[in-house]
């Protein structure tokens, strides 16, 4: 019940936190530049990223599958802004 497929682009508000998600980093970085979102999330590079552009947090949660490395993912607590990378 808690899983929702948003398609190629996800633009949501959860608890007052504006979140934009899309696979391509250049698209997400351009959204972060607008300062419209609190958090922007991308994939594609398979490398963990935790940066800020203006007031927007720019995140790549890592890679669940990547040849030669352990699966990893990131968790962002939107209430505390704590960002943690988990690995298997």
């Amino acid at each position: 019940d808690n899983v929702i497929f948003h398609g190629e682009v996800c633009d949501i508000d959860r608890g007052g936190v504006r979140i934009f998600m899309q696979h391509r980093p250049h698209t997400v970085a351009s959204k972060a530049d607008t300062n419209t979102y609190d958090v922007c999330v991308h994939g594609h590079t398979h490398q963990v990223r935790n940066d800020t552009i203006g007031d927007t947090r720019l995140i790549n949660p890592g890679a669940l599958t990547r040849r030669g490395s352990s699966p990893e993912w990131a968790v962002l607590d939107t209430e505390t802004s704590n960002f943690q990378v988990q690995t298997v």
Side-chain angles (χ1 to χ4, degrees):
D1 290 339
N2 291 325
V3 177
I4 300 169
F5 178 67
H6 291 277
E8 186 175 326
V9 172
C10 178
D11 184 337
I12 58 175
D13 184 307
R14 290 294 184 265
V17 178
R18 287 290 315 258
I19 303 168
F20 180 86
M21 292 184 272
Q22 205 265 351
H23 185 73
R24 300 285 178 185
H26 63 275
T27 301
V28 174
S30 67
K31 291 292 186 178
D33 277 334
T34 68
N35 224 16
T36 302
Y37 300 93
D38 300 300
V39 180
C40 289
V41 182
H42 72 84
H44 191 67
T45 64
H46 297 261
Q47 295 178 356
V48 172
R49 180 178 190 176
N50 182 24
D51 297 322
T52 47
I53 296 178
D55 293 328
T56 302
R57 194 130 186 208
L58 185 57
I59 292 174
N60 182 334
L64 290 175
T65 59
R66 180 175 42 162
R67 193 176 306 171
S69 70
S70 298
E72 61 189 0
W73 63 95
V75 177
L76 173 66
D77 184 325
T78 57
E79 291 180 7
T80 66
S81 294
N82 186 37
F83 179 82
Q84 291 186 343
V85 177
Q86 309 290 323
T87 58
V88 173

